[in-house]
């Protein structure tokens, strides 16, 4: 999935309404019990992650992580629930209306001593569970997830946490766009409100300000040349930033010594909305062996999907049908979801970076870009291939494709531990600029962004654009390498290039010795793709009756 350039109702009536009041807002991603996946992350993994976060917290602090909100699809129907990846990473818990509290030092809470972690969860309710499945409840969270302390979420308001005793209270994000279910006094809306009231979070607290301060601290000296124009542009977009004394003090500094002095005078704040982001970014960017195993599975499923679709695709197919073939393969191999909405675009649609409508009735002979990724036990792949539905690239299509392929090879070569995160992008961008100049599509190298407007790499994991610090590459990082060229109709170049969109994307594990392409099973070269597309597909004889 292409990377942004770096710079994120009515209620039913009568009987139906009465019945649905028994149901919780959304069903969990996985049920607990005999059908629980055997290869899912173990409680020991999540416990280790919690301990690593605690070790990184400042003295005298507490950290809070909330569940993701439930999202409504239409009327009384919600989308399948997807947990906040941070909360899942730290607990394995996959149900809504919950929050995790971590303490740097052990606390005494309601008479229990030595408490370092508390998870507040949706309570058990047999009537509701008849509708949407088993809930863990507090006892299940303790027994099955290994949480030291767990309680129903309706106990949070009276939990006995002495928030005023902490020097710093950290959180990654406070959910804001949350529905208030008046049938549930302990839903996420009320949990957030209760936390803000108990911890005395100021109503005018601005998490973006804290993030901005952290950016200045991190890059204010080492990358001052780029940070200054960024801040100046930010001030134009948000004049309120111009009034911030800390920002102004930094901008007035003219030497590194002055900048360092300005940075050191960051205002002391009791509430911190940036440090926990940094801690989680550092941890989640480096995958453990357990995580790499799940990513390998997700990526292999996605690569096989690309193989099978290459064999099955014909010009008379529609984009939606091709999408369905990918997603059928995912389900066949046990992937629960897609990691993001599948992008299947032919011709000019392939030039829309995040095109997800996928409704062109026939792909015909236009190049078909397929950016699809299976999500397996929470971890998502991200694999893109571009193919000619006829089975053969035209000369113009092949010329553009070969430039992108060469750019990707250059990106692969730059994937090594210690390299700056942008190294694959810089290498790929140069190849594409040189190639477009040679074809006369651009007139100067800086025009390359007209046809290659996105970054080449992003982290991959529990999110398709996963958390990470974007520092030097290190062993255990899993990143994408995905150069592309997109020439939509009406572009200022020869018409023979119009409606050609090409992206080739692979998922790369950084190793101590270099890198490994996890998605290498999906053909990439023109010869490999054309040879595979000439082979029969298991779906060739799959015929559905005509609808009348």
């Amino acid at each position: 999935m292409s990377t942004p350039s770096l710079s994120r109702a009515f209620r039913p009536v009568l009987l139906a309404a009465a019945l649905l009041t028994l149901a919780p807002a959304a069903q969990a991603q996985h049920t607990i019990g005999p059908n629980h996946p055997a290869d899912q992350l173990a409680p020991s993994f999540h416990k280790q992650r919690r301990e690593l976060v605690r070790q990184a917290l400042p003295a005298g602090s507490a950290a809070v992580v909330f569940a993701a909100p439930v999202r409504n699809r239409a009327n009384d129907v919600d989308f399948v629930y997807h947990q906040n990846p941070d909360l899942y990473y730290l607990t394995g818990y996959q149900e809504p209306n919950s929050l995790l509290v971590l303490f740097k030092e052990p606390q005494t809470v309601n008479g229990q001593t030595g408490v370092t972690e508390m998870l507040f969860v949706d309570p058990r309710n047999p009537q509701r569970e008849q509708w949407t499945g088993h809930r863990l409840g507090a006892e299940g969270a303790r027994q099955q997830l290994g949480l030291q302390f767990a309680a129903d979420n309706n106990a949070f308001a009276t939990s006995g946490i002495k928030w005023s005793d902490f020097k710093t209270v950290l959180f990654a994000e406070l959910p804001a766009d949350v529905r208030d279910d008046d049938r549930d006094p302990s839903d996420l809306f009320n949990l957030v409100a209760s936390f803000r009231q108990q911890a005395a979070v100021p109503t005018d607290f601005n998490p973006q300000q804290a993030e901005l301060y952290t950016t200045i601290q991190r890059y204010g000296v080492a990358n001052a040349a780029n940070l200054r124009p960024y801040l100046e542009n930010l001030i134009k977009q948000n004049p309120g930033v111009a009034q911030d004394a800390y920002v102004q003090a930094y901008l007035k500094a003219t030497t590194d010594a002055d900048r360092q002095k300005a940075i050191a005078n960051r205002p002391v704040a009791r509430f911190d909305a940036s440090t926990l982001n940094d801690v989680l970014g550092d941890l989640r960017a480096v995958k453990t062996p357990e995580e790499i195993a799940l990513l390998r599975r997700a990526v292999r499923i996605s690569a096989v999907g690309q193989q099978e679709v290459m064999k099955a695709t014909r010009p008379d197919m529609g984009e939606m049908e091709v999408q369905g073939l990918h997603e059928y393969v995912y389900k066949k191999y046990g992937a629960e979801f897609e990691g993001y909405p599948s992008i299947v675009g032919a011709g000019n649609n392939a030039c829309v970076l995040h095109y997800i409508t996928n409704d062109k009735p026939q792909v015909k002979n236009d190049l078909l870009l397929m950016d699809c990724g299976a999500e397996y036990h929470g971890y998502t792949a991200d694999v893109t291939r571009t193919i000619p539905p006829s089975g053969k690239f035209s000369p113009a299509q092949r010329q553009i494709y070969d430039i992108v392929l060469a750019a990707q090879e250059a990106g692969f070569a730059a994937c090594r531990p210690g390299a700056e995160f942008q190294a694959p992008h810089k290498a790929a961008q140069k190849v594409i600029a040189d190639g477009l100049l040679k074809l006369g599509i651009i007139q100067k190298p800086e025009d390359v962004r007209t046809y290659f407007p996105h970054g080449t790499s992003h982290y991959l994991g529990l999110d398709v654009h996963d958390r990470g610090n974007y520092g030097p590459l290190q062993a255990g990082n899993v990143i994408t390498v995905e150069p592309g060229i997109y020439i939509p109709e009406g572009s200022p170049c020869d018409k023979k290039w119009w409606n050609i969109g090409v992206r080739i994307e692979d998922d790369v594990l950084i190793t101590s010795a270099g890198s490994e392409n996890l998605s290498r099973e999906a053909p990439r070269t023109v010869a490999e793709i054309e040879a595979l597309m000439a082979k029969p597909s298991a779906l060739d004889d799959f015929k559905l009756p005509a609808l009348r």
Side-chain angles (χ1 to χ4, degrees):
M1 192 177 194
S2 61
T3 313
S5 298
L6 291 177
S7 347
R8 195 180 214 265
F10 284 175
R11 291 187 182 177
V13 294
L14 301 176
L15 180 60
L19 290 173
L20 284 168
T21 58
L22 299 175
Q27 189 165 5
Q29 290 168 271
H30 300 298
T31 57
I32 303 298
N35 295 321
H36 192 63
D39 59 347
Q40 197 160 342
L41 294 172
S44 58
F45 168 87
H46 303 290
K47 178 177 177 59
Q48 181 197 49
R49 302 293 101 184
R50 294 195 297 276
E51 285 303 308
L52 289 171
V53 169
R54 285 188 57 243
Q55 291 172 21
L57 296 178
S61 68
V64 182
V65 181
F66 284 90
V70 172
R71 293 303 184 197
N72 181 254
R73 185 181 186 276
N75 196 9
D76 59 335
V77 177
D78 293 323
F79 285 102
V80 174
Y81 184 69
H82 190 279
Q83 185 58 278
N84 172 5
D86 287 333
L87 185 63
Y88 175 72
Y89 183 73
L90 296 175
T91 66
Y93 187 70
Q94 304 201 66
E95 298 172 18
N97 302 321
S98 55
L99 76 153
L100 172 71
V101 184
L102 296 175
F103 304 114
K104 175 65 173 184
E105 296 86 11
Q107 303 291 309
T108 298
V109 183
N110 282 344
Q112 182 173 337
T113 60
V115 177
T116 59
E117 58 188 31
M118 303 178 76
L119 182 67
F120 296 88
V121 303
D122 242 3
R124 297 289 311 277
N125 184 319
Q127 288 180 307
R128 290 184 173 188
E129 290 174 20
Q130 182 180 18
W131 288 80
T132 55
H134 180 75
R135 283 288 195 257
L136 272 181
E139 186 63 25
R142 285 190 292 271
Q143 291 184 356
Q144 298 191 42
L145 302 181
L147 268 295
Q148 178 193 34
F149 181 104
D152 289 344
N153 56 19
N154 53 26
F156 176 63
T158 57
S159 62
I161 300 173
K162 297 179 180 178
W163 295 100
S164 60
D165 289 351
F166 298 107
K167 290 169 56 179
T168 312
V169 178
L170 304 94
F171 38 86
E173 183 177 7
L174 292 181
D177 183 17
V178 185
R179 291 182 301 166
D180 182 9
D181 184 352
D182 57 16
R183 300 169 298 176
D184 186 354
S186 300
D187 64 0
L188 185 62
F189 181 93
N190 288 289
L191 288 174
V192 173
S194 179
F195 166 70
R196 297 185 73 106
Q197 186 273 325
Q198 291 183 65
V201 180
T203 56
D204 61 350
F205 175 76
N206 184 351
Q208 286 73 37
Q209 181 187 53
E211 188 68 33
L212 181 59
Y213 287 3
T214 298
T215 300
I216 291 173
Q217 285 193 307
R218 177 175 289 178
Y219 303 110
V221 176
N223 200 5
N226 290 325
L227 181 59
R228 176 175 286 275
Y230 167 78
L231 292 174
E232 291 171 346
N233 186 56
L234 185 64
I235 287 171
K236 293 177 183 177
Q237 298 175 16
N238 185 355
V241 175
Q243 310 305 316
D244 187 280
Y246 186 67
V247 175
Q248 283 301 315
Y250 174 79
L251 288 174
K252 290 176 182 176
T254 56
T255 68
D256 283 352
D258 290 341
R259 293 186 188 100
Q260 191 65 60
K261 185 177 179 180
I263 289 169
N265 290 327
R266 175 175 176 167
V268 177
R270 184 164 175 265
F271 299 99
D272 185 333
S274 61
T275 299
L276 188 58
N277 279 318
D278 292 338
V279 170
L280 287 165
D282 288 343
L283 282 176
R284 284 179 53 184
V286 180
K287 271 52 180 183
T288 67
E290 304 100 309
E291 293 179 286
I292 291 171
L294 295 179
L295 275 166
R296 284 186 185 278
R297 180 76 173 180
V299 173
R300 287 206 66 197
I301 290 170
S302 305
V304 171
Q306 293 283 359
Q307 288 179 333
E308 293 305 313
V309 171
M310 286 182 190
K311 290 187 287 187
T313 297
R314 302 183 306 273
D316 62 344
M317 284 183 168
E319 293 170 343
M320 197 177 300
E321 184 178 1
V322 174
Q323 173 187 348
L325 295 179
H326 280 278
E327 294 173 8
Y328 171 73
V329 173
Y330 300 170
K331 300 296 185 184
K332 186 71 174 176
Y333 283 113
E336 296 90 346
F337 305 102
E338 302 80 55
Y340 52 93
S342 297
I343 299 168
V344 179
N348 207 55
N349 293 339
C351 300
V352 179
L353 301 183
H354 286 176
Y355 170 79
I356 59 173
T357 310
N358 303 344
D359 62 356
K360 190 173 184 177
Q362 289 190 335
V363 297
K364 298 184 178 179
N365 290 322
D366 291 324
L367 281 185
L368 177 63
L369 187 154
M370 306 177 296
D371 185 339
C372 306
E375 181 184 304
Y376 186 78
H377 299 354
Y379 287 81
T380 181
D382 189 3
V383 181
T384 306
R385 292 295 184 264
T386 306
I387 63 173
S390 66
K392 292 289 184 181
F393 287 85
S394 72
Q397 292 171 348
R398 179 166 185 162
Q399 285 178 284
I400 299 299
Y401 189 93
D402 280 344
I403 293 173
V404 177
L405 184 64
Q408 192 187 37
E409 291 291 349
F412 287 155
C415 290
R416 59 185 184 274
E420 64 169 323
F421 191 88
Q422 289 298 300
H425 177 68
K426 291 178 179 179
Q429 188 179 56
K430 183 179 187 309
V431 172
I432 289 178
D434 290 346
L436 294 180
L437 279 167
K438 186 175 181 180
L439 294 179
I441 295 175
I442 61 175
Q443 305 307 313
K444 52 186 184 297
E446 53 267 34
D447 289 342
V448 66
R449 288 189 58 80
T450 302
Y451 302 106
F452 179 26
H454 61 76
T456 299
S457 299
H458 59 77
Y459 293 106
L460 196 62
L462 286 168
D463 283 305
V464 65
H465 296 147
D466 207 30
R467 276 194 181 276
N469 53 24
Y470 288 91
L473 295 173
Q474 53 186 315
N477 291 159
V478 179
I479 66 170
T480 62
V481 178
E482 50 171 317
I485 295 175
Y486 315 91
I487 311 176
E489 185 175 352
S491 295
C493 62
D494 193 311
K495 290 183 179 181
K496 72 177 181 178
W497 308 116
W498 288 5
N499 299 317
I500 294 178
V502 175
R503 182 160 64 248
I504 313 171
E505 177 178 20
D506 283 272
D507 303 338
V508 175
L509 170 66
I510 306 300
T511 68
S512 59
S515 64
E516 177 188 353
N517 182 359
L518 301 179
S519 47
R520 58 188 178 275
E521 288 178 87
R524 291 190 307 121
T525 70
V526 166
E528 289 171 340
I529 290 170
E530 291 183 344
L532 186 62
M533 294 188 71
K535 293 183 178 181
S537 165
L539 296 170
D540 287 342
D541 296 326
F542 181 61
K543 306 294 183 184
L544 292 174
L547 297 178
R548 290 179 170 78

